[in-house]
Amino acid sequence: ELGRAREADRLDPLAPLEEGLLLVDRHNRAQGVPALWQTLSLDPRCSRAWFALGEVALNNFDFDSATRAADRLRLLNPTHPLADLLDSQRALLTDDPERADAILDGLLAREPNMPQALAMRAAVAGRRWNPELARQRLAEFDQKFPGSALAYATLGRTLSLNRQYEWGQRALEEAIRREPFWSDPRGELGYLFMQAGRDDEAVAALKAAAEL
């Protein structure tokens, strides 16, 4: 349907944007990224496209491209919340949790109900090896978004990347319990098991993610 919409009006940026976001969300970056760039060729001020490209870059550990996406967002708005979110994620991935926390503190002062930012704060607490602070931040997230798996999934991925397998497994399993039809936590759990040398469990988790 989105493909037909693109054909019907080649100057409308909405169709390639929605198509690009859908494809990237379904891990089809080879087609999703060009669709996002097509969106920007039609509407260079599209924040959702710049943010999505920044997140793709971070998932590939391409920090320069993520920085450029944040810079473009700040050309639209010097205090753009999505730019701060990209910068906090980059700081965490480059092993600077203190800077990530400082960015998130400023962001949440302006946007206190931003779910991605609240989830990132829990992940930063995990990277600072502070379980008590992580539990506190998870509870704060749950007060505003009860039942959501986002904070646990974000924390679990961060712990897995830093080889905190037992704690990361617990976080990802809670994310799966909360949202059993979301494939990402199952995929992250499979990667965690792979890194930990638990191959049979890795295969089972990755198969479940692929089926979803």
Side-chain angles (χ1 to χ4, degrees):
E1 292 301 320
L2 288 167
R4 281 202 285 269
R6 288 173 67 174
E7 291 298 318
D9 186 351
R10 293 178 179 272
L11 297 180
D12 184 357
L14 182 60
L17 171 64
E18 295 299 338
E19 186 174 26
L21 294 174
L22 177 64
L23 289 165
V24 166
D25 186 58
R26 288 288 172 260
H27 309 285
N28 185 349
R29 295 169 185 157
Q31 291 180 290
V33 169
L36 293 172
W37 280 115
Q38 182 185 0
T39 300
L40 290 169
S41 73
L42 298 168
D43 178 10
R45 298 175 58 84
C46 181
S47 293
R48 293 172 69 197
W50 282 119
F51 179 68
L53 288 169
E55 286 209 307
V56 168
L58 288 173
N59 286 331
N60 291 328
F61 300 97
D62 179 358
F63 301 123
D64 289 342
S65 294
T67 299
R68 284 194 291 272
D71 289 345
R72 292 306 296 261
L73 288 167
R74 287 200 174 90
L75 287 176
L76 307 176
N77 175 1
T79 60
H80 204 303
L82 296 179
D84 283 349
L85 196 59
L86 288 176
D87 283 348
S88 67
Q89 292 173 351
R90 179 165 55 87
L92 191 58
L93 287 170
T94 55
D95 207 25
D96 193 349
E98 289 76 16
R99 181 169 181 270
D101 246 347
I103 295 169
L104 291 168
D105 285 345
L107 173 56
L108 287 166
R110 303 191 309 275
E111 303 284 346
N113 297 314
M114 188 175 189
Q116 302 100 315
L118 290 166
M120 277 294 297
R121 286 186 84 232
V124 172
R127 176 56 190 84
R128 294 173 68 175
W129 323 130
N130 191 332
E132 183 57 38
L133 181 60
R135 282 192 291 270
Q136 175 187 327
R137 290 178 173 181
L138 288 169
E140 291 169 356
F141 181 91
D142 275 342
Q143 285 182 343
K144 297 187 176 185
F145 305 100
S148 170
L150 179 61
Y152 282 94
T154 307
L155 172 62
R157 180 175 188 268
T158 297
L159 293 170
S160 175
L161 287 171
N162 288 277
R163 302 186 183 279
Q164 301 297 305
Y165 299 134
E166 183 177 347
W167 187 7
Q169 179 183 346
R170 291 198 304 270
L172 290 169
E173 287 177 343
E174 175 61 17
I176 292 167
R177 185 191 71 78
R178 289 176 173 225
E179 296 191 32
F181 298 108
W182 185 18
S183 64
D184 284 3
R186 293 183 188 273
E188 293 294 344
L189 186 61
Y191 301 147
L192 182 152
F193 286 145
M194 285 173 59
Q195 291 180 114
R198 297 161 62 179
D199 291 349
D200 290 343
E201 292 166 285
V203 169
L206 293 169
K207 281 185 175 179
E211 288 170 1
L212 289 171

